[in-house]
């Protein structure tokens, strides 16, 4: 493992494996001074370690992860939820909207993580999630059941012009973490992402990196937009939203100080 992961990462992975295999938390394991947790069957670790050595993300190996207080099933059809995306949910959930009833649409929902986290924070809100991938929608629906949250998930292509019950509605909030990594950025990415996560959820063409945002901003009718963005494209995002007559356009930094979220309003 030493050649593949640095010491901190290897330690975190080791705890993760022990917790998953034993069904106990790290503190329960540490306080088990009698050693009644028995890891004598070390064979169960071998296949896990083999897969980690091939840089497969541990979340895919175990088929789920904990994120924002949710237990989310994950498959290679869905991105692994990131800490930055939790910051998007934090910002949206803590914003005070002066609206009578709130309907949220999450575009490119993947595992459903954003939609489900919002619903958990605001059970009274109506939340819908869409994704082009039928496999992702199946996972998102399963995650709604697992976490006992009433979110509607539908398969839908944002670029389809066919009017549907979902794309012809007015929403109070449209939130999206669409693909935003430019092809030219591949070289900077690690193999756990490049070799295992769904390309269609990550990459956009170098010559049109805002294609998803432009489509959402022009086609979906929202009072408020909340976008996770590529840290290098904040200014371009602001210019695009201005051109589409959005107001109150703001860039928010993530905890690494990177331009990660853009919010905007449309007075309709
Ligand atoms: N933040 C993700 C990454 O760097 C990308 C997510 C996305 O494209 N929406 O891997």
């Amino acid at each position: 493992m030493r050649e593949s992961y640095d010491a901190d990462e290897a330690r975190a992975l080791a705890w993760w494996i022990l917790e998953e295999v034993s069904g106990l938390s790290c503190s329960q394991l540490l306080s088990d001074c009698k050693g009644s947790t028995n890891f004598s069957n070390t064979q169960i670790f071998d296949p896990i370690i083999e897969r980690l050595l091939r840089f497969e993300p541990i979340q895919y190996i175990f088929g789920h992860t904990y994120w924002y207080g949710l237990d989310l099933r994950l498959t290679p059809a869905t991105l692994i939820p990131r800490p930055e995306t939790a910051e998007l949910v934090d910002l949206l959930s803590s914003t005070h909207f002066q609206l009578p009833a709130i309907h949220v649409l999450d575009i490119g929902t993947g595992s459903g993580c954003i939609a489900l986290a919002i619903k958990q924070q605001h059970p009274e809100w109506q939340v819908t999630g869409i994704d082009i991938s039928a496999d992702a929608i199946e996972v998102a629906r399963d995650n709604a059941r697992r976490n006992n949250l009433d979110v509607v998930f539908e398969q839908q292509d944002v670029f389809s012009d066919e009017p549907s019950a979902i794309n012809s509605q007015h929403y109070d909030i449209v939130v999206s973490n669409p693909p935003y990594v430019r092809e030219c950025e591949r070289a900077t990415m690690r193999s756990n992402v490049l070799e295992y996560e769904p390309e269609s959820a990550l990459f956009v063409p170098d010559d049109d990196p805002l294609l998803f945002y432009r489509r959402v901003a022009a086609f979906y009718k929202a009072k408020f937009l909340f976008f996770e963005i590529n840290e290098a494209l904040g200014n371009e995002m602001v210019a695009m939203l201005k051109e589409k007559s959005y107001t109150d356009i703001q860039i928010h930094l993530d905890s690494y100080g990177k331009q990660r979220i853009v919010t905007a309003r449309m007075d309709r």
Side-chain angles (χ1 to χ4, degrees):
M1 288 285 270
R2 276 207 200 116
E3 300 79 48
S4 310
Y5 295 92
D6 71 32
D8 286 344
E9 243 177 331
R11 198 173 304 115
L13 287 169
W15 275 114
W16 195 324
I17 297 168
L18 291 176
E19 288 183 316
E20 181 77 20
V21 168
S22 67
L24 298 173
S25 70
C26 159
S27 51
Q28 283 170 322
L29 284 166
L30 283 171
S31 62
D32 174 26
C33 42
K34 286 195 223 90
S36 49
T37 323
N38 192 339
F39 291 113
S40 58
N41 180 12
T42 52
Q43 274 164 359
I44 46 172
F45 297 112
D46 294 343
I48 300 170
I49 290 166
E50 254 168 55
R51 290 169 74 175
L52 284 173
L53 289 175
R54 281 183 255 130
F55 298 105
E56 185 169 349
I58 193 159
Q59 295 92 336
Y60 291 151
I61 298 176
F62 292 144
H64 77 126
T65 194
Y66 297 101
W67 182 87
Y68 220 93
L70 302 164
D71 181 11
L72 297 171
R73 177 158 87 89
L74 297 174
T75 72
T78 61
L79 278 191
I80 297 165
R82 310 284 205 266
E84 305 86 277
T85 307
E87 296 188 44
L88 173 69
V89 175
D90 282 341
L91 179 70
L92 196 161
S93 298
S94 61
T95 303
H96 182 71
F97 300 98
Q98 282 191 321
L99 300 165
I102 292 188
H103 191 176
V104 185
L105 177 67
D106 173 22
I107 297 180
T109 196
S111 63
C113 60
I114 296 175
L116 294 166
I118 292 171
K119 181 71 183 178
Q120 194 183 44
Q121 298 297 304
H122 292 284
E124 71 285 9
W125 291 5
Q126 193 184 337
V127 183
T128 304
I130 60 169
D131 202 287
I132 192 173
S133 158
D135 290 341
I137 288 298
E138 188 264 312
V139 173
R141 286 182 180 154
D142 190 23
N143 283 330
R145 281 189 293 271
R146 261 175 183 249
N147 293 280
N148 210 8
L149 291 166
D150 182 16
V151 173
V152 172
F153 289 108
E154 293 291 343
Q155 193 227 340
Q156 192 158 114
D157 176 1
V158 278
F159 290 103
S160 159
D161 281 321
E162 228 172 276
S164 76
I166 287 179
N167 66 26
S168 35
Q169 268 202 47
H170 282 72
Y171 294 91
D172 300 300
I173 303 165
V174 166
V175 58
S176 187
N177 172 22
Y180 62 63
V181 182
R182 289 166 295 176
E183 288 289 343
C184 63
E185 292 171 297
R186 265 179 194 272
T188 65
M189 295 170 74
R190 295 176 55 167
S191 25
N192 57 336
V193 178
L194 283 178
E195 283 170 34
Y196 293 95
E197 294 202 80
E199 295 223 336
S200 60
L202 286 169
F203 291 105
V204 285
D206 289 343
D207 60 1
D208 192 10
L210 302 188
L211 80 166
F212 287 98
Y213 303 99
R214 222 179 25 251
R215 170 68 177 180
V216 170
F219 189 70
Y220 289 83
K221 292 166 270 309
K223 287 198 193 85
F224 293 94
L225 290 179
F226 282 75
F227 285 142
E228 182 176 319
I229 63 157
N230 184 320
E231 72 212 50
L233 298 173
N235 297 341
E236 287 83 344
M237 278 293 304
V238 171
M240 184 276 286
L241 291 170
K242 259 192 200 145
E243 194 205 295
K244 302 222 178 297
S245 307
Y246 282 85
T247 57
D248 202 7
I249 305 165
Q250 291 180 47
I251 298 184
H252 309 257
L253 305 184
D254 64 19
S255 54
Y256 302 102
K258 296 189 169 159
Q259 299 194 334
R260 185 61 65 202
I261 298 170
V262 167
T263 54
R265 190 161 56 95
M266 173 67 86
D267 298 309
R268 298 181 195 271

